[in-house]
């Protein structure tokens, strides 16, 4: 344990110095956090906590000695704390920051300290600790009573409530559903921290994917207490009881982390939402489509590809749109309308985007303002943004399609004027030291400042006046912080000093004096300065309070600015990457010249492909490894997601349905499934899909059933296709290595075949990356071997073996005369057992050819990457060539 009070100090508790005793008390109180204890210019940690802080932050430890013993200590410099706090948060520590809550200069003895803020990975509000373009959420899961469960879900998991909040922006929402719903929703929210109620087992229930889990005071999860808490923010009646519990408990936690000052001022709204009202993407789909994270070596995500936003507000909005594409056709089309208008109006778009470049992060600013943490510079930044708003409105004025957008931008002129009248243009960061408020803003302040100014003028004139009066021509008037104003006379001139001079300080070559009038003026100036500083601070906090009172309007503006930025970004991406506006229609997925938005950017010769999938069609996609199957299938899914998010799509033209869910299972063989066999995971994912897909879903499945024996795998794949087609009626793309599945196209009305082929040019195999109707050649594995230049006898022999095996497979199943002897692939040659039963055949083989065949037999195709396959083929070919 590195959190809590150090054992060594607890042992000597009664002997500790008062300061260390204070440390131990606070460390005990915040025993699940690393206590950072303000001493002078450092946040200190002691004993084992110091060891850990020093390790994580790469700081030096020191030994601190007092009468009670020696303690290891380590300190984080307060002025430069952010980067160290960031490291501790990365290492998943909660941090309790204990500040001095009394002015040390006004206290005799020990300064009182208290924990002013608890920082956890999910409740960070400090700009320096937050990523700008994304949200940092803390989520909370609460479990309903069995009564709720029976009423709502009739489901044995019971009902769960889920709430999330971004404490930096005040965005807060809650929902409720089954365990599976909550898991899916959590994958979308991707919180940095997950708070769990009693009875919720984050690990066992697969809830906290990469989030740190926090168990907090169970009493805040008591339904009545939680509802009570929520009441300060929203009407609990609008929520399912479990959602109200989750939201109330979450807000209790967020308040506590912010120092427990009562309700969070910038959380103006807790939204109730139903995840089913947006296009659902579960964790597997988010991962497989690489929306926000790459895996398996990809270098860009869909988000990166589209992100042409200019400000943090827009960046977070675009992320949210991709995370929750719409289901409502009208809303989708209204986004498309706006994107189209921006795409067509290049000048307007560029002007607006330039202006957006100046937009300050209004959402986080509201957070700081309401917490009383915003400084004068923040207010000036708000002012600068408010100044840009009328210009943005002007730029939008000429485009009728953007009129609604323009109207949503409230320029908050009253607030802008107030800030401008109050705060100087380039204020200092420190708001307690004056220089913040403009002259003319407040009569009292002007008067006090006038007094100080007059006094200073009098002092400024004093030097010449006194030189004249005393005849001391090198007499100086000066000021220092310790002694105040003085008149300095060198030792040689001391006899000329008049009687009204009182000695203040003796230096080596001179003496310093003051006069009663100078003293009086000094008191007046310093008093006025101090009063002015105090007054300025008061005036500043008053103006900040005025801004805080407009939190909702600023949030409304932030929302509108975010929309404008996200739409202009989508238009920019559409123009620069040559996307087309999709037409929406329920008939199916029809794309001309579709491209994969991410792959096309790194693949210089990307081959566009068409898609023709009437609603309810299952397309079986065949072709060798590396021929482009999975890229194609993902591009279709991405087109649908993009369209519903409001974006144009990478295609020449597209007519797309509004789907309820996109299911994907692609590239799972590249996944390192934590602890679970790949096959088990694959089957779980398949279960989810077959359970939940509807006739309005788009299903993209890559190589189902590869992780098990061929016979089983083939059977599972076939049954899945049949189920998709016969029972679910989903529109689907289904890539398979099991070639005999392609027969289904003859048997089922809406099953089609699509294939990707390869050719040989010179000595090289070339993948055309072109989707063509029909199934791939039956034994394309052997064909690829031929294309790669494996000598004829081997290819022929391989073909014969394929045929022979197909026959052998067919024999015991006499009832199945339809089985096509040519439908075997190199996959099947991998079966070592079958290999042993084969005869030598009728072709005369050289040793090298025999070895090649043996090597081919040993290949476990299911466990071979495309690269390994190519290398192996290359090796075999070499071996054969050497033999000639
Ligand atoms: P498969 O799923 O058939 O094994 P992939 O879809 O993974 O094949 O594609 C293999 C590689 O081929 C990709 O990494 C990509 O670089 C390239 N590729 C795929 N589709 C295309 C295309 N339409 N045009 C150009 N290159 C492509």
């Amino acid at each position: 344990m590195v959190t809590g009070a150090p054992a060594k100090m607890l042992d000597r508790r009664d002997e500790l110095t008062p300061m260390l005793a204070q440390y131990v008390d606070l460390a005990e109180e915040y025993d699940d956090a690393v206590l950072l204890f303000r001493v002078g210019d450092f946040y200190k940690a002691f004993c084992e906590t110091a060891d850990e802080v020093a390790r994580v932050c790469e700081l030096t430890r020191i030994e601190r000695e007092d009468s009670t013993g020696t303690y290891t200590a380590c300190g984080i410099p307060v002025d430069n704390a952010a980067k160290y706090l960031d490291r501790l948060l990365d290492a998943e520590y909660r941090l309790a920051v204990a500040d001095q809550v009394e002015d040390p200069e006004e206290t005799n003895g020990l300064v009182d300290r208290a924990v002013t803020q608890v920082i956890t990975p999910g409740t960070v509000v400090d700009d320096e600790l937050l990523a700008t373009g994304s949200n940092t959420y803390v989520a909370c899961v609460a479990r309903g009573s069995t009564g709720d469960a029976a009423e709502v879900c009739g489901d044995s998991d019971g009902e769960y409530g889920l709430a999330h909040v971004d404490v930096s922006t005040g965005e807060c929402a809650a929902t409720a559903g089954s365990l599976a719903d909550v898991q899916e929703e959590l994958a979308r929210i991707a919180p940095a921290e997950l708070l769990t109620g009693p009875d919720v087992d984050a690990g066992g229930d697969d809830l906290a994917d990469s989030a740190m889990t926090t168990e907090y005071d169970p009493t805040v999860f008591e339904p009545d207490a939680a509802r009570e808490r929520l009441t300060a923010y929203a009407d609990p009646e609008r929520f399912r009881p479990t959602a109200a519990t989750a939201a109330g408990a979450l807000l209790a936690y967020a308040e506590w982390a912010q120092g427990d000052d009562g309700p969070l001022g910038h959380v103006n709204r807790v939204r109730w939402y139903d995840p089913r009202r947006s296009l659902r993407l579960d964790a597997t789909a988010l991962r497989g489509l690489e929306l926000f994270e790459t895996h398996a070596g990809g270098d860009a995500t869909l988000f990166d590809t589209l992100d042409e936003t200019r400000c943090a507000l827009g960046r977070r909005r675009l992320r949210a749109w991709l995370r929750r594409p719409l289901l409502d056709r009208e809303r989708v089309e209204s986004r498309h309308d706006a994107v189209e208008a921006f795409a067509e109006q290049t000048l307007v778009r560029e002007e607006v985007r330039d202006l957006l470049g100046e937009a300050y992060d209004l959402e986080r600013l509201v957070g700081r303002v309401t917490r009383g943490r915003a400084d004068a510079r923040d207010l000036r930044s708000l002012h600068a943004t408010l100044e840009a708003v009328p210009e943005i409105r002007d730029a939008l004025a000429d485009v009728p399609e953007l009129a609604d957008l323009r109207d949503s931008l409230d320029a908050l002129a009253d607030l802008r004027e107030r800030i401008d009248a109050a705060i100087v243009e380039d204020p200092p960061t420190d708001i307690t030291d004056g220089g913040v408020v403009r002259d003319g803003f407040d009569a009292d302040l002007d008067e006090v400042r006038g007094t100080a100014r007059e006094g200073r003028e009098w002092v400024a004139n004093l030097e010449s006046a006194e030189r004249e009066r005393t005849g001391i021509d090198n007499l100086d008037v000066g000021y220092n912080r310790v002694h105040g104003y003085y008149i300095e006379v060198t030792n040689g001139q001391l006899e000329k000093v008049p009687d009204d001079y009182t000695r203040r300080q003796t230096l080596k070559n001179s003496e310093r004096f003051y006069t009663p009038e100078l003293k009086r003026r000094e008191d007046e100036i310093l008093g006025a300065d101090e009063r002015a500083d105090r007054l300025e601070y008061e005036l500043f906090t008053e103006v900040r309070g005025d801004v805080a009172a407009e939190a909702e309007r600023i949030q409304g503006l932030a929302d509108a600015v975010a929309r404008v930025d996200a739409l202009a970004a989508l238009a920019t991406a559409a123009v620069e990457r040559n996307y087309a506006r999709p037409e929406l229609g329920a008939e199916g997925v029809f794309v001309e010249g579709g491209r994969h938005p991410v792959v096309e950017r790194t693949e210089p010769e990307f081959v566009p492909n068409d898609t023709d999938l009437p609603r309810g069609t299952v397309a079986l996609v065949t072709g060798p490894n590396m021929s482009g199957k999975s890229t194609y299938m993902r591009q279709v899914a991405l087109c649908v997601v993009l369209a519903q998010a409001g974006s144009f799509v990478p295609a020449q033209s597209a007519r797309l349905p509004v789907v309820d869910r996109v299911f994907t299972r692609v590239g799972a063989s590249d996944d390192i499934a934590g602890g679970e066999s790949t096959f088990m995971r694959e089957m779980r994912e398949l279960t989810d899909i077959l359970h939940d897909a509807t006739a309005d879903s788009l299903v993209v499945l890559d190589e189902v059933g590869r992780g098990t024996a061929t016979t089983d795998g083939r059977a599972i794949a076939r049954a899945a296709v049949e189920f998709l087609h016969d029972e679910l009626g989903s529109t689907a793309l289904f890539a398979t290595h099991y070639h005999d599945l392609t027969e289904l196209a003859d048997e089922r009305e809406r099953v089609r075949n699509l294939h990707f082929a390869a050719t040989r040019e010179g000595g090289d195999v070339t993948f055309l990356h072109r989707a063509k109707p029909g199934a791939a050649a039956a034994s394309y594995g052997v064909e690829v071997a031929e294309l790669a230049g494996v000598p004829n006898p081997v290819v022929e022999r391989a073909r014969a073996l394929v045929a022979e095996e197909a026959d052998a497979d067919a024999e015991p199943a006499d009832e199945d005369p339809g089985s096509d002897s040519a439908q075997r692939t190199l996959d099947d040659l991998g079966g070592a057992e079958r290999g042993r039963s084969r005869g030598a055949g009728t072709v005369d083989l050289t040793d090298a050819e025999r070895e090649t065949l043996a090597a081919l037999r040993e290949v476990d195709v299911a466990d071979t990457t495309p690269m390994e396959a190519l290398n192996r083929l290359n090796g075999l070919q070499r071996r054969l060539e050497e033999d000639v």
Side-chain angles (χ1 to χ4, degrees):
M1 266 300 269
V2 301
T3 59
K8 184 172 175 184
M9 289 190 178
L10 283 175
D11 288 347
R12 303 172 194 171
R13 187 162 201 153
D14 297 337
E15 304 154 24
L16 292 174
T17 61
M19 192 183 78
L20 288 184
Q22 199 181 40
Y23 174 77
V24 168
D25 289 346
L26 288 172
E28 255 190 335
E29 192 181 335
Y30 291 86
D31 64 349
D32 62 351
V34 168
L35 182 71
L36 298 174
F37 190 74
R38 174 86 183 248
V39 182
D41 292 336
F42 290 91
Y43 289 122
K44 295 254 176 182
F46 297 99
C47 299
E48 50 272 33
T49 313
D51 291 338
E52 182 63 3
V53 171
R55 187 185 68 78
V56 175
C57 300
E58 294 176 34
L59 288 164
T60 321
R61 293 174 309 163
I62 49 159
E63 295 300 325
R64 183 185 182 286
E65 204 179 325
D66 64 31
S67 56
T68 67
T70 316
Y71 307 97
T72 314
C74 139
I76 292 176
V78 171
D79 282 345
N80 191 14
K83 74 173 185 194
Y84 299 107
L85 303 191
D86 207 21
R87 287 192 196 178
L88 288 166
L89 290 171
D90 265 355
E92 301 211 331
Y93 282 112
R94 277 175 206 94
L95 311 174
V97 182
D99 271 310
Q100 298 170 343
V101 291
E102 278 178 325
D103 189 343
E105 285 176 20
E106 288 172 18
T107 320
N108 287 329
L110 184 65
V111 186
D112 197 19
R113 292 180 175 82
V115 169
T116 52
Q117 202 189 353
V118 176
I119 310 176
T120 66
T123 59
V124 183
V125 288
D126 193 336
D127 254 358
E128 291 181 64
L129 300 178
L130 285 166
T132 48
S134 55
N135 286 98
T136 299
Y137 293 115
V138 51
C140 172
V141 176
R143 189 156 186 188
S145 64
T146 346
D148 291 336
E151 191 189 318
V152 181
C153 316
D155 163 326
S156 61
D157 289 331
E159 186 184 273
Y160 287 76
L162 170 65
H164 66 274
V165 65
D166 179 335
V167 188
S168 72
T169 65
E171 177 199 344
C172 184
T175 185
S178 68
L179 179 60
D181 291 337
V182 165
Q183 285 166 338
E184 180 181 318
E185 201 38 34
L186 277 174
R188 278 213 257 205
I189 299 167
E193 183 178 353
L194 179 69
L195 188 69
T196 52
D199 314 333
V200 176
D201 173 8
D205 286 344
D206 243 352
L207 291 170
D209 197 13
S210 56
M212 172 176 127
T213 39
T214 299
E215 282 170 28
Y216 183 56
D217 179 4
T219 60
V220 301
F221 284 88
E222 280 164 16
D224 289 342
R227 280 172 68 86
E228 171 82 31
R229 179 82 59 163
L230 180 58
T231 313
Y233 300 88
D235 175 6
E237 295 305 321
R238 292 195 295 109
F239 297 82
R240 296 266 338 134
T242 50
T245 304
L250 177 64
L251 289 162
Y253 177 68
E255 287 173 17
W256 170 78
Q258 292 307 305
D260 243 340
D261 287 336
L264 303 167
H266 61 311
V267 179
N268 281 312
R269 193 160 90 95
V270 181
R271 210 162 37 87
W272 158 261
Y273 71 106
D274 178 357
R276 286 164 201 269
R277 303 224 353 230
S278 50
L279 168 68
R280 292 171 66 190
L281 295 162
D282 62 11
T284 319
L286 289 170
R287 200 173 50 234
L289 295 175
E290 300 189 308
L291 257 46
F292 303 109
E293 267 167 49
T294 59
H295 66 112
D299 47 18
T301 63
L302 181 69
F303 176 76
D304 298 335
T305 305
L306 285 186
D307 182 18
E308 295 289 345
T309 55
R310 280 298 171 86
C311 64
L313 293 169
R315 206 155 302 137
R316 289 199 292 268
R317 180 58 51 95
L318 184 61
R319 229 178 247 281
W321 282 359
L322 282 180
R323 203 184 300 126
R324 288 183 208 283
L326 300 169
L327 284 189
D328 182 300
R329 182 171 164 173
E330 258 176 45
R331 289 181 65 200
V332 174
E333 287 184 330
S334 104
R335 280 190 200 165
H336 289 166
D337 288 342
V339 173
E340 184 169 346
F342 270 128
E344 282 170 358
Q345 303 283 342
T346 310
L347 291 179
V348 171
R349 184 177 74 240
E350 285 315 318
E351 190 183 346
V352 168
R353 294 180 72 229
D354 277 351
L355 291 164
L356 286 167
E358 326 237 305
Y360 197 52
D361 193 337
L362 299 181
E363 285 180 321
R364 288 195 182 150
L365 172 95
V366 170
R368 279 201 300 281
V369 165
T370 51
R371 282 196 309 276
R373 297 270 174 92
D375 60 28
R377 285 168 180 265
D378 284 319
L379 298 197
R380 271 326 291 197
S381 303
L382 169 61
H383 177 265
T385 306
L386 296 181
E387 272 199 319
V389 174
E391 293 183 59
I392 300 177
R393 286 178 58 106
D394 284 351
L396 296 174
D398 299 335
V399 192
E401 293 82 359
L402 300 175
D404 286 351
L405 214 50
R406 187 194 60 227
D407 293 344
S408 67
L409 290 163
D410 174 357
L412 302 173
D414 47 341
L415 201 61
R416 186 186 70 223
E417 281 158 21
R418 176 116 177 106
I419 295 172
D420 197 32
I423 313 286
V424 301
E425 262 168 46
D426 188 14
T429 31
D430 192 338
I431 47 176
T432 55
D433 238 4
V436 167
V437 177
R438 271 195 209 271
D439 282 336
F441 178 69
D442 180 83
D444 289 349
L445 178 62
D446 287 350
E447 194 190 320
V448 179
R449 278 181 174 163
T451 309
R453 209 171 18 243
E454 255 170 51
R456 286 207 170 81
E457 273 163 23
W458 181 88
V459 173
N461 292 328
L462 184 66
E463 198 170 273
S464 55
E466 287 302 296
R467 281 184 186 176
E468 206 171 303
R469 177 163 81 98
T470 60
I472 307 172
D473 51 7
N474 64 352
L475 172 151
D476 279 335
V477 174
Y479 174 80
N480 82 27
R481 270 184 173 276
V482 183
H483 295 100
Y485 289 104
Y486 56 80
I487 300 167
E488 186 170 312
V489 179
T490 51
N491 292 346
Q493 309 271 349
L494 285 178
E495 73 278 8
K496 294 189 192 162
V497 166
D499 290 346
D500 60 343
Y501 276 28
T502 310
R503 191 170 315 232
R504 181 160 250 183
Q505 195 186 2
T506 303
L507 303 178
K508 199 165 156 216
N509 299 318
S510 58
E511 297 281 342
R512 288 177 173 176
F513 303 91
Y514 64 92
T515 62
E517 179 61 3
L518 181 58
K519 180 78 188 120
R520 192 182 68 76
R521 294 285 185 165
E522 176 183 299
D523 290 347
E524 193 176 272
I525 294 169
L526 296 183
D529 277 350
E530 204 175 291
R531 270 210 312 290
D533 288 354
R534 232 180 300 133
L535 207 54
E536 278 204 57
Y537 179 74
E538 272 167 31
L539 290 167
F540 172 77
T541 47
E542 201 180 297
V543 174
R544 185 168 65 189
D546 296 342
V547 176
E550 297 293 352
E552 275 191 79
R553 279 171 77 206
I554 303 174
Q555 282 168 334
L557 173 65
D559 179 62
V561 170
R563 275 184 74 80
V564 174
D565 193 24
L567 290 166
L570 287 176
T572 307
V575 171
E576 290 185 358
R577 325 235 195 294
N578 204 12
Y579 292 0
R581 174 173 181 158
E583 213 186 305
L584 300 182
E587 304 81 8
V589 181
F590 307 102
V591 182
E592 255 182 358
R595 285 124 42 208
H596 189 295
V598 181
V599 177
E600 76 162 337
R601 302 197 67 196
T602 49
E603 193 64 59
E605 305 204 4
F606 193 88
V607 181
N609 273 303
D610 297 345
T611 303
D612 181 11
L613 276 182
R615 184 180 161 88
T617 303
V618 181
L620 297 173
V621 185
T622 45
N625 276 341
M626 293 301 279
S627 60
K629 299 184 297 295
S630 97
T631 304
Y632 175 73
M633 298 198 302
R634 275 182 296 180
Q635 93 189 21
V636 173
L638 287 172
C639 271
V640 167
V641 170
L642 281 174
Q644 284 178 238
S647 171
F648 282 15
V649 297
Q652 237 174 315
S653 71
R655 186 168 169 79
L656 302 170
V658 174
V659 306
D660 62 354
R661 290 183 76 155
V662 171
F663 290 96
T664 60
R665 223 203 69 78
V666 279
S669 46
D670 306 328
D671 274 355
I672 312 295
E676 201 171 43
S677 87
T678 315
F679 182 64
M680 189 63 185
R681 188 179 181 117
E682 179 187 335
M683 287 301 109
R684 260 187 220 281
E685 290 171 0
L686 182 65
T687 310
D688 288 345
I689 296 175
L690 298 180
H691 205 264
D692 293 338
T694 72
D696 289 320
S697 305
L698 175 68
V699 178
V700 172
L701 285 167
D702 200 358
E703 307 286 5
V704 166
R706 286 206 73 186
T708 184
T710 310
T711 327
D712 289 3
R714 183 187 293 138
I716 293 170
R718 184 178 189 113
V721 172
E722 290 177 358
F723 189 77
L724 271 171
H725 179 275
D726 304 349
E727 304 295 327
L728 301 175
S730 309
T731 308
L733 288 158
F734 194 102
T736 182
H737 258 71
Y738 299 121
H739 194 268
D740 49 347
L741 287 194
T742 58
E743 291 167 13
L744 280 167
D746 301 330
E747 297 169 18
R748 296 287 199 287
E749 190 193 337
R750 286 171 285 104
V751 175
R752 293 192 179 180
N753 285 317
L754 264 187
H755 76 279
F756 284 78
T759 59
R760 182 174 184 176
E761 275 172 22
D764 300 326
V765 185
T766 307
F767 295 113
L768 303 176
H769 302 303
R770 197 173 296 287
K772 295 185 176 166
S779 49
Y780 53 65
V782 180
E783 232 128 74
V784 173
E786 187 179 15
L787 285 170
V790 174
N792 244 348
V794 180
V795 171
E796 286 313 315
R797 174 62 184 145
R799 281 221 169 89
L801 288 173
V802 166
E804 198 177 289
E805 172 161 341
D807 287 346
D809 270 3
E811 263 164 36
D814 259 349
E815 326 73 290
D816 182 18
S819 166
D820 180 346
S821 61
Q823 284 170 2
R824 290 298 170 267
T825 68
L826 275 179
D827 272 19
D828 302 290
L829 291 177
E833 275 177 43
R834 291 198 195 100
R836 248 181 271 123
S837 67
R838 287 192 188 102
T842 51
V843 190
D844 262 349
L845 295 179
T846 64
D847 283 350
E849 286 166 354
R850 244 186 284 279
E851 282 166 27
T852 306
L853 277 177
L856 273 178
R857 274 195 199 105
E858 273 166 22
V859 175
D860 178 358
V861 177
D863 196 29
T864 306
T865 67
M867 212 47 226
E868 282 167 5
L870 287 178
N871 283 334
R872 215 168 279 184
L873 269 180
N874 190 27
L876 292 178
Q877 200 176 354
R878 284 250 176 83
R879 172 78 184 88
L880 289 167
E881 274 163 6
E882 280 164 15
D883 203 44
V884 180

